[in-house]
Amino acid sequence: MKIDRRCFLSLGIGVAAGTALSPLPWKAMDDSSIWSQNWPWTPVPPDGEITYTDSTCTLCPGGCGITIRKIDHRVVKIEGRKDHPVNHGGICVLGLSGPQLLYGPTRVQSPMKKINGTFRKISWNQALAEITEKLTTLRAEGRSHTVAGIAGSSRGTVSGLLQRFLTAFGSSHFYSPSSMEDSFSQTHIQHQDKKTIPGYDLENSNYILSFGAGIIDGWGSPVRMIQANSAWKTKKIKLVQVEPMLSSTAAKSDQWLPSNPGTEAVLALGFAYVILRESLYDPKAIDDHSDGFKAWGAHILNNYHPDKVAEVTGIDSQTIITIGREFGRAGKPVAICGRGQGRTPVSVAEMNAVHALNVLVGNINKTGGVFTLPEPDYISWPEIVLDATADSGLRARPISMGGEWLHRFPNAVTGNEDGINFLFVANANPCYTLTDTKEAIKAFQKIPFKVSFSSYMDETAKLSDLILPNHTYLERYEDIPVASGLRNHLVGLIKPVVDPLFQTRHTGDVIITMAKSLKGSIEASFPWKDYSECLKTGLGRNWNAFTDKGYLELNYIPEFEEVPRFAFQVPSEIPQIPLEGDESKMGLILIPGDSLRLSSGDIGSPPFVMKTVPDTVLKNNDSLVQINPKTAEKLGLKKNGYAVLKTPRGEKKVKISLSQGIGENVISFPRGLGHTAYDDYLSGKGVNFNELIGPVEDPVSGLDVAWGIRASLTKA
Amino acid sequence: MSIVDEKAKEVDAADSPAESHCATSVDDGNGIAGLTILFFIVGFTASLFVGWIVFPKLLYSEKQQPIDFNHAMHMELVDNGCESCHFFRTDGTYSGVPKLAQCIDCHQEVQGDSEHEAVFVEEYVSKGREVPWLIYSRQPDCVFFSHAAHVQLAKMDCVTCHGHIGESTSLKPYEYNRITGYSRDIWGKELKNYLGLKTNTYDRMKMNDCAYCHLEETGRKSSVSTEKDGCFVCHK
């Protein structure tokens, strides 16, 4: 007997047969197929209880109601709140991306102090003790007026607490950004010396004449505007968009008037000419509620003939006549302005020209028209207690208690002999959003001690000496007053959806703690135990309604129900704000192109938002500048080729994107790129528009009304 | 004589010297045949042994639950059976394994003298940490299963799928598949389960078991509520 090849063959067959009759191959195959479907890279939130919490979005001034979906204690989705009067269940891409701001890597997780150029973690007690010591010294030295504060808004309790702190401390240096609403409040509307902000009843208008307002590009309250635009489409209501470039709004409008940039006011007066000439105005409304109509009317009829207006604006006279007639005959038309997202104010001359159209057709405080609303006033706090130091500090630099426009801040640091010695920044990112950014940063760095309350490591936080991180908007209580052109203003409530993830503290609490540690009259000005008590007592009897509904609708103060008087102002020779720069050296005009796909404010775009940016705006790390093909050809520039974009304020390397939707000699790219902070999805991507433009003050209001800047493009 | 015969003779003549070799071959062949069969049997048996006995042992590993739990004792203390702890939330979703919040009412302090109870209170209750229970019946993430549809609408009891775990006095070890990472209870523990056979409804929780039960109870494999058939009824 000998073991040979056949035996082994037989063994093999036996093994094969045995294996086939055992579960091994079948089970292994089944398990392998299951294993191949285990995809650990696919995020699967753990199972748990699903809950929904209502709150308010703070990522832009729109004030949308949001519903946050959680699984146990983790936020998994943010949706629009269905029963909210602002957005009726809608939400924008930035609002949707909120969870990435909560859980993303850009959070500042504890107080940080800069030591030798590097941030080190310190305790809250250490941080607050250091601030108290510095502030006490400044006060003792009689330099209380050199402490400043920047807030993202002039409204609301947190902003109010910072302003109150500065006043009680003895400083009037409080700055907040301005917008189209400030332009409106500076128009010649006489309302018993009360500040007036606009409320547009757009849902009930039957003809919309927009002077550059980016209706679906983020103007006003963005989701509300998109819904209003959809409603106009359904009801076949005409939207006329006056804008030098084919923005999304212009593309979706019923008629696009590609006017020469900066000539919107002239065009508005051209329409006024048609309304006057053809007697399409409402004489009773004008008699009852305005002054100076005759002189103004005569001036318009003498100087704004459509042929003349056509020359300036580039819109032919027949179109001006047609649109003027349509507007005058519509019944419930409305004219709105505020270029792009309306975050940059327009000149008083322009606002007056546009508002005059509304006054002419008598649509002030009427359905479908413009409502003149009071500043949201719903917080009642006790009087501020001022001691002698505070008095002298406030006298050292008297200023209106409403604070100052943010664009004047760099000048307050460098153009003032006392300068600024100490700065607080809350809910703002001036080292990114201020125009002429490089100079603004230089001024910022001159301040000996800067404290940022930012929840995120943004540009301003990075350049600060101390960061006292606030809870994010999903971790705290706060009131959010919302104007943004809404017909009825309201105050949204934000409330904690999750417990704070890190060692952060509410900025309101930090301000109250600082005040208490400074003792005396400052402590006396802050009689609350903590921010919650301050918010609750400040809202008084409105508190319950506020917390039950999640928002508070602000009712009219009776005198605002009456139509205010409007003073028709004879415009200056040409109501245009001149551009910075020498036309002979820089033949192009650079204007911003706002987009809902980028966050251009203090909050940087989260990764989800960055994924929506098209490659005609950003390609890899390069910003693309929109230019008319004819202009590009003239300058020898090719599609996707590199060029150097130069303005009087700076120069940047950009790529070329050809577009038929932009006028000759006009170039544009959006705000919201070119961050140097935040995460890898945002930092180093593209060019910050603000670095290439500088402030241009309106001679009437002092607001920064720079709508563009002269520029040149040369092949790189 | 035909040509065939001639040829046959030639073949015979040619083969005659090899006759003895052939005879030897046949003789040896019997031995080899035996060996061959033996080898076949050895291979066959060994692989059956490996496939049925060794492989399942190698395929599964075992973990102990973080702490032990006495279902039987708790069942005596509650009013509403399994649903006292494994309840439906108000929105119809199923809570599954209880969270600490449901335990702390009674377990703020150590109850009784069990070692596991002491660990539970010290390590989890007082520290506010959830117990990382290992779930025997956890299906893959791609499987959609609604407890509400089965328990509340179809009035099925827990035992049908989960067996008599409610009567157990301690938790069995958690066995999991080394390849897939899923619990062994999904595939079943008995060897016959491997053949798709089972004695009790709760012996296996594989896809065919769902389909079989649906066929038995409703006459079709599709979803009762949507009346739809196909992969995406359950795999979402």
Side-chain angles (χ1 to χ4, degrees):
Chain A
M1 280 197 351
K2 160 169 110 174
I3 297 170
D4 66 358
R5 190 166 56 88
R6 271 190 233 182
C7 300
F8 286 106
L9 211 59
S10 175
L11 181 73
I13 293 166
V15 168
T19 306
L21 292 174
S22 85
L24 194 150
W26 321 112
K27 175 75 176 143
M29 214 166 3
D30 186 30
D31 284 352
S32 304
S33 66
I34 294 171
W35 170 82
S36 72
Q37 291 167 51
N38 283 346
W39 295 347
W41 57 87
T42 307
V44 179
D47 279 342
E49 186 174 8
I50 302 165
T51 50
Y52 294 88
T53 312
D54 289 338
S55 188
T56 303
C57 186
T58 64
L59 304 180
C60 88
C64 290
I66 49 173
T67 300
I68 295 105
R69 181 170 180 254
K70 285 197 303 177
I71 303 249
D72 282 345
H73 301 295
R74 190 176 172 87
V75 172
V76 292
K77 196 184 177 200
I78 297 180
E79 296 162 355
R81 185 176 157 187
K82 292 195 171 58
D83 59 346
H84 200 271
V86 173
N87 54 318
H88 307 282
I91 192 164
C92 75
V93 64
L94 179 61
L96 270 173
S97 311
Q100 293 190 320
L101 289 167
L102 176 65
Y103 297 115
T106 59
R107 293 284 306 273
V108 181
Q109 301 187 2
S110 73
M112 307 279 268
K113 188 188 174 186
K114 199 180 267 173
I115 301 165
N116 298 328
T118 316
F119 278 113
R120 299 269 162 80
K121 195 175 161 180
I122 60 167
S123 73
W124 275 100
N125 286 346
Q126 278 174 296
L128 290 168
E130 185 164 343
I131 289 177
T132 309
E133 190 196 323
K134 283 197 191 311
L135 290 176
T136 309
T137 312
L138 281 171
R139 235 174 168 245
E141 290 169 352
R143 291 190 290 158
S144 64
H145 61 288
T146 64
V147 174
I150 295 176
S153 156
S154 58
R155 302 180 185 129
T157 50
V158 170
S159 187
L161 281 174
L162 181 58
Q163 199 172 355
R164 189 179 174 89
F165 179 84
L166 293 169
T167 308
F169 189 80
S171 172
S172 54
H173 277 294
F174 176 78
Y175 298 84
S176 62
S178 46
S179 73
M180 175 271 294
E181 285 166 24
D182 295 288
S183 307
F184 189 85
S185 65
Q186 300 282 327
T187 49
H188 296 90
I189 298 168
Q190 289 154 13
H191 224 322
Q192 299 175 11
D193 297 327
K194 284 192 171 65
K195 201 176 171 190
T196 306
I197 47 177
Y200 297 103
D201 189 19
L202 296 164
E203 287 79 359
N204 293 312
S205 307
N206 68 356
Y207 191 92
I208 320 293
L209 180 52
S210 156
F211 292 89
I215 285 163
I216 56 167
D217 292 298
W219 185 89
S221 185
V223 176
R224 177 243 182 171
M225 291 308 299
I226 287 171
Q227 290 173 342
N229 185 57
S230 304
W232 298 332
K233 293 277 171 286
T234 313
K235 291 192 264 180
K236 301 203 184 321
I237 287 168
K238 186 168 179 177
L239 165 63
V240 179
Q241 179 74 357
V242 177
E243 199 173 359
M245 63 182 288
L246 188 67
S247 63
S248 299
T249 307
K252 296 283 178 190
S253 66
D254 297 286
Q255 192 166 352
W256 171 40
L257 306 184
S259 63
N260 293 331
T263 63
E264 288 85 348
V266 180
L267 188 58
L269 295 175
F271 295 138
Y273 175 97
V274 179
I275 293 167
L276 290 169
R277 187 85 203 163
E278 304 193 2
S279 297
L280 300 173
Y281 55 89
D282 179 346
K284 188 173 183 312
I286 291 169
D287 278 353
D288 291 351
H289 308 298
S290 71
D291 302 302
F293 173 67
K294 275 192 178 166
W296 179 82
H299 178 83
I300 300 300
L301 289 172
N302 286 333
N303 296 285
Y304 290 88
H305 188 276
D307 290 342
K308 208 170 163 187
V309 171
E311 270 176 42
V312 179
T313 61
I315 303 298
D316 68 88
S317 53
Q318 193 49 52
T319 307
I320 296 171
I321 293 166
T322 310
I323 301 290
R325 278 179 189 157
E326 285 177 2
F327 187 85
R329 289 171 183 163
K332 287 188 288 179
V334 68
I336 59 174
C337 66
R339 291 179 188 83
Q341 298 188 339
R343 311 270 192 270
T344 309
V346 295
S347 69
V348 168
E350 183 174 333
M351 185 57 93
N352 268 328
V354 174
H355 194 64
L357 291 175
N358 292 318
V359 175
L360 281 177
V361 294
N363 72 357
I364 310 301
N365 285 11
K366 279 194 186 155
T367 304
V370 184
F371 283 76
T372 52
L373 306 175
E375 260 296 308
D377 179 18
Y378 58 93
I379 306 165
S380 47
W381 282 342
E383 284 293 309
I384 304 176
V385 186
L386 298 178
D387 62 3
T389 317
D391 255 338
S392 67
L394 292 170
R395 268 200 304 274
R397 190 178 164 279
I399 191 175
S400 67
M401 295 301 282
E404 255 200 276
W405 318 129
L406 181 58
H407 74 271
R408 287 183 174 166
F409 176 72
N411 192 43
V413 181
T414 52
N416 170 352
E417 62 183 63
D418 289 330
I420 302 285
N421 283 307
F422 196 107
L423 174 70
F424 291 109
V425 183
N427 298 326
N429 184 11
C431 293
Y432 175 79
T433 56
L434 272 172
T435 55
D436 201 4
T437 320
K438 274 189 183 159
E439 289 304 312
I441 288 174
K442 270 187 203 165
F444 187 82
Q445 284 175 320
K446 276 193 180 153
I447 303 166
F449 201 77
K450 303 153 297 269
V451 178
S452 165
F453 291 113
S454 180
S455 307
Y456 315 103
M457 193 54 99
D458 58 23
E459 283 80 359
T460 308
K462 266 171 88 176
L463 294 170
S464 297
D465 300 289
L466 192 64
I467 311 173
L468 303 179
N470 193 4
H471 302 319
T472 65
Y473 73 113
L474 298 172
E475 299 168 313
R476 68 176 194 253
Y477 268 111
E478 200 174 314
D479 54 319
I480 304 295
V482 189
S484 298
L486 297 180
R487 162 69 179 80
N488 287 316
H489 296 170
L490 56 84
V491 185
L493 171 67
I494 62 169
K495 54 186 171 188
V497 178
V498 286
D499 291 336
L501 299 183
F502 305 112
Q503 293 166 43
T504 52
R505 271 194 202 175
H506 198 298
T507 300
D509 278 328
V510 176
I511 295 171
I512 293 170
T513 313
M514 286 191 308
K516 289 194 186 303
S517 65
L518 288 167
K519 310 282 183 202
S521 62
I522 306 175
E523 184 179 12
S525 298
F526 290 79
W528 310 284
K529 184 169 66 77
D530 54 23
Y531 175 74
S532 301
E533 189 185 308
C534 163
L535 181 65
K536 194 174 173 180
T537 53
L539 274 145
R541 61 190 174 81
N542 285 325
W543 175 253
N544 286 340
F546 190 43
T547 47
D548 286 350
K549 282 168 84 178
Y551 57 87
L552 183 66
E553 280 171 300
L554 298 176
N555 296 319
Y556 279 115
I557 299 169
E559 65 258 35
F560 277 91
E561 286 175 0
E562 292 167 16
V563 177
R565 293 196 80 75
F566 176 71
F568 281 102
Q569 296 282 313
V570 173
S572 56
E573 194 54 39
I574 305 172
Q576 271 182 285
I577 294 296
L579 283 171
E580 188 184 353
D582 184 351
E583 190 176 357
S584 62
K585 288 181 189 158
M586 295 180 169
L588 302 174
I589 296 173
L590 172 66
I591 57 170
D594 286 346
S595 162
L596 259 186
R597 292 179 178 188
L598 277 169
S599 164
S600 56
D602 59 302
I603 298 286
S605 302
F608 282 161
V609 175
M610 289 305 288
K611 286 284 169 202
T612 69
V613 178
D615 65 0
T616 49
V617 169
L618 180 75
K619 210 165 199 172
N620 299 324
N621 290 338
D622 297 313
S623 265
L624 283 92
V625 170
Q626 303 278 316
I627 184 169
N628 190 294
K630 282 184 189 166
T631 317
E633 196 182 342
K634 211 163 61 188
L635 296 170
L637 300 169
K638 289 204 171 122
K639 189 182 172 184
N640 285 328
Y642 281 105
V644 175
L645 172 60
K646 200 171 174 184
T647 72
R649 299 285 177 167
E651 64 175 68
K652 291 281 175 188
K653 197 174 172 189
V654 292
K655 271 188 160 183
I656 297 298
S657 170
L658 302 180
S659 168
Q660 298 280 2
I662 193 161
E664 285 182 48
N665 298 329
V666 183
I667 55 173
S668 173
F669 71 93
R671 285 185 270 227
L673 291 169
H675 275 276
T676 54
Y678 287 100
D679 52 26
D680 291 345
Y681 295 91
L682 185 61
S683 181
K685 301 270 179 194
V687 172
N688 180 5
F689 188 93
N690 299 321
E691 287 185 38
L692 294 170
I693 191 168
V696 176
E697 287 205 352
D698 180 25
V700 181
S701 62
L703 289 162
D704 172 17
V705 291
W707 53 269
I709 192 163
R710 296 220 176 267
S712 67
L713 265 179
T714 43
K715 200 172 172 184
Chain B
M1 191 178 267
S2 69
I3 295 168
V4 175
D5 287 341
E6 283 170 11
K7 290 276 180 195
K9 274 183 186 171
E10 282 172 23
V11 169
D12 285 344
D15 281 351
S16 56
E19 252 175 31
S20 58
H21 165 72
C22 191
T24 313
S25 274
V26 170
D27 188 37
D28 284 348
N30 286 335
I32 283 177
L35 259 185
T36 309
I37 290 164
L38 183 68
F39 268 77
F40 176 83
I41 290 167
V42 167
F44 185 73
T45 321
S47 58
L48 281 180
F49 179 75
V50 168
W52 283 97
I53 311 295
V54 180
F55 172 67
K57 285 205 187 302
L58 287 177
L59 185 62
Y60 291 101
S61 185
E62 201 174 280
K63 279 184 194 170
Q64 294 300 325
Q65 294 281 2
I67 46 172
D68 198 13
F69 183 83
N70 187 336
H71 271 97
M73 189 184 75
H74 284 84
M75 282 292 267
E76 286 171 15
L77 299 171
V78 295
D79 300 327
N80 200 19
C82 304
E83 284 196 39
S84 306
C85 298
H86 305 279
F87 56 89
F88 285 93
R89 302 190 190 99
T90 48
D91 64 354
T93 57
Y94 182 62
S95 65
V97 173
K99 293 274 166 67
L100 210 53
Q102 289 144 246
C103 311
I104 52 173
D105 281 349
C106 301
H107 291 272
Q108 288 282 14
E109 303 289 331
V110 177
Q111 308 282 315
D113 50 8
S114 151
E115 191 188 314
H116 287 279
E117 167 71 8
V119 173
F120 175 56
V121 174
E122 278 166 30
E123 291 299 313
Y124 300 101
V125 178
S126 54
K127 291 182 183 172
R129 284 170 54 202
E130 291 292 342
V131 183
W133 296 112
L134 301 164
I135 302 166
Y136 303 111
S137 51
R138 187 183 191 90
Q139 291 281 347
D141 287 323
C142 59
V143 178
F144 172 81
F145 177 82
S146 165
H147 272 90
H150 292 85
V151 178
Q152 294 191 319
L153 292 178
K155 308 286 177 205
M156 284 170 71
D157 62 0
C158 307
V159 176
T160 309
C161 299
H162 295 284
H164 296 280
I165 192 161
E167 295 157 22
S168 67
T169 53
S170 81
L171 296 175
K172 62 184 179 183
Y174 174 82
E175 290 177 82
Y176 65 97
N177 188 307
R178 289 182 201 267
I179 300 174
T180 64
Y182 293 112
S183 164
R184 185 172 188 169
D185 288 30
I186 305 298
W187 229 84
K189 295 194 73 163
E190 303 294 327
L191 291 180
K192 66 182 175 189
N193 296 152
Y194 291 59
L195 297 172
L197 303 172
K198 58 182 186 180
T199 314
N200 305 302
T201 49
Y202 46 79
D203 284 346
R204 285 184 5 149
M205 295 171 84
K206 287 279 285 179
M207 189 172 80
N208 283 346
D209 301 286
C210 301
Y212 175 78
C213 190
H214 269 245
L215 199 60
E216 284 276 293
E217 298 295 325
T218 68
R220 54 195 292 184
K221 289 180 182 177
S222 57
S223 157
V224 176
S225 54
T226 63
E227 295 188 351
K228 283 183 181 163
D229 212 342
C231 308
F232 284 97
V233 174
C234 302
H235 294 284
K236 302 199 179 193

